[in-house]
Amino acid sequence: MLTSISRSWLRRICGFTFTCALTLPAHGAHAQPIQRSEQRLIDSLITQLEQVGRGPMELRLGFGPVLTVPDSGKAKFHAFVPLLSFRYHDWFVIEETQMRADIVDFDRKRLNDSDTQKLGQAGTSLEVGAHAVYFYGPARVRSPPGPAGNICSRSSG
Amino acid sequence: MQSFFGVTPAESLETHLPVFNAHAGFKDISPSVSAEYKFSDHWSADGSVQYVYLLNDAYMSPVSRTRGLGGRANIGVFALYTFGPHA
């Protein structure tokens, strides 16, 4: 997401700069140094653009406690929840898969209710969704604006 | 969706839950806010608050309703280690 935002902003800056470069020669004696400066800026921005999306493969592993508070019923404390995120070149990202799998109670065998326990374990599913990320210095704030979809395959219960 | 939230006739006989056919679709909406602080190139801490609200057949399913899983908040704190040469 950051990649696409960066590209979008850089494209806008490049577009604006390109327009200035076209109009500057009409201003006479100052045109040459400003033009060189503009060219350096464009070159720098293009270099930045080329760098975006060339990030290395990154694997992140983590763990921590999670408290689940349902709208109705008792809160549940998970002392150890694994967290996994994987990124490859800014265009393939997996985040929080373990957190969601554990907390959302997809594994129906782990439900406390005796009736739902009899339903057994569910199969594999694929979830798709979207989120926006804002970086502020060393901190990051993430807020997914859209709903998450769910595509499941039927398996034996 | 049926895998997680559906109840087949056979399962209904065993569990006494009503038969329920869950169709594919949006399962939940889960807004969340998290903040991450990097202690070093590799180590960081992440705090996260997430609210999960089931939608459509996921919400209507007897599996969800029996457990009161319509909506819930998850609050977590994580220690993270980043692998990679340019972490």
Side-chain angles (χ1 to χ4, degrees):
Chain A
M1 183 58 72
L2 180 66
T3 302
S4 59
I5 290 170
S6 301
R7 281 179 174 160
S8 170
W9 274 102
L10 285 174
R11 280 196 191 110
R12 286 177 196 177
I13 294 166
C14 283
F16 176 73
T17 307
F18 183 62
T19 306
C20 289
L22 283 177
T23 54
L24 280 171
H27 293 290
H30 299 293
Q32 278 302 94
I34 294 175
Q35 205 169 19
R36 277 200 294 272
S37 173
E38 290 292 321
Q39 189 59 50
R40 279 200 297 272
L41 181 60
I42 291 172
D43 289 345
S44 172
L45 288 170
I46 288 172
T47 304
Q48 288 293 319
L49 264 178
E50 288 172 346
Q51 292 298 319
V52 173
R54 288 187 179 178
M57 182 169 64
E58 185 182 272
L59 174 65
R60 309 176 77 200
L61 297 176
F63 64 91
V66 171
L67 180 67
T68 300
V69 185
D71 286 349
S72 59
K74 291 175 66 177
K76 197 172 173 183
F77 182 73
H78 308 257
F80 182 89
V81 174
L83 188 69
L84 165 71
S85 87
F86 177 76
R87 177 176 65 84
Y88 181 72
H89 282 279
D90 282 343
W91 51 263
F92 182 78
V93 178
I94 299 174
E95 278 201 20
E96 296 181 359
T97 49
Q98 286 298 312
M99 180 180 173
R100 287 185 62 81
D102 279 4
I103 293 174
V104 181
D105 281 340
F106 277 165
D107 186 347
R108 299 192 297 190
K109 273 185 176 172
R110 299 176 70 175
L111 297 175
N112 292 331
D113 185 87
S114 59
D115 283 343
T116 47
Q117 277 186 340
K118 291 175 186 173
L119 289 170
Q121 190 169 358
T124 305
S125 79
L126 173 66
E127 274 195 32
V128 291
H131 66 260
V133 179
Y134 180 72
F135 288 87
Y136 182 77
R140 178 180 70 165
V141 176
R142 178 177 54 223
S143 175
N150 182 270
I151 304 165
C152 301
S153 60
R154 180 63 183 160
S155 65
S156 56
Chain B
M1 193 78 95
Q2 177 72 6
S3 298
F4 300 115
F5 299 102
V7 180
T8 64
E11 290 170 339
S12 177
L13 283 174
E14 188 178 357
T15 64
H16 308 295
L17 294 172
V19 174
F20 186 78
N21 290 316
H23 301 97
F26 287 110
K27 179 183 68 62
D28 65 63
I29 183 167
S30 52
S32 70
V33 175
S34 68
E36 179 180 336
Y37 188 83
K38 276 180 172 286
F39 293 105
S40 67
D41 284 349
H42 291 284
W43 285 101
S44 60
D46 183 296
S48 175
V49 177
Q50 176 189 49
Y51 185 79
V52 182
Y53 189 80
L54 295 179
L55 301 171
N56 303 324
D57 283 349
Y59 179 82
M60 298 301 294
S61 165
V63 178
S64 309
R65 298 185 81 82
T66 303
R67 288 279 295 146
L69 293 178
R72 63 203 166 280
N74 299 319
I75 304 155
V77 179
F78 299 91
L80 289 163
Y81 185 84
T82 303
F83 296 88
H86 303 290

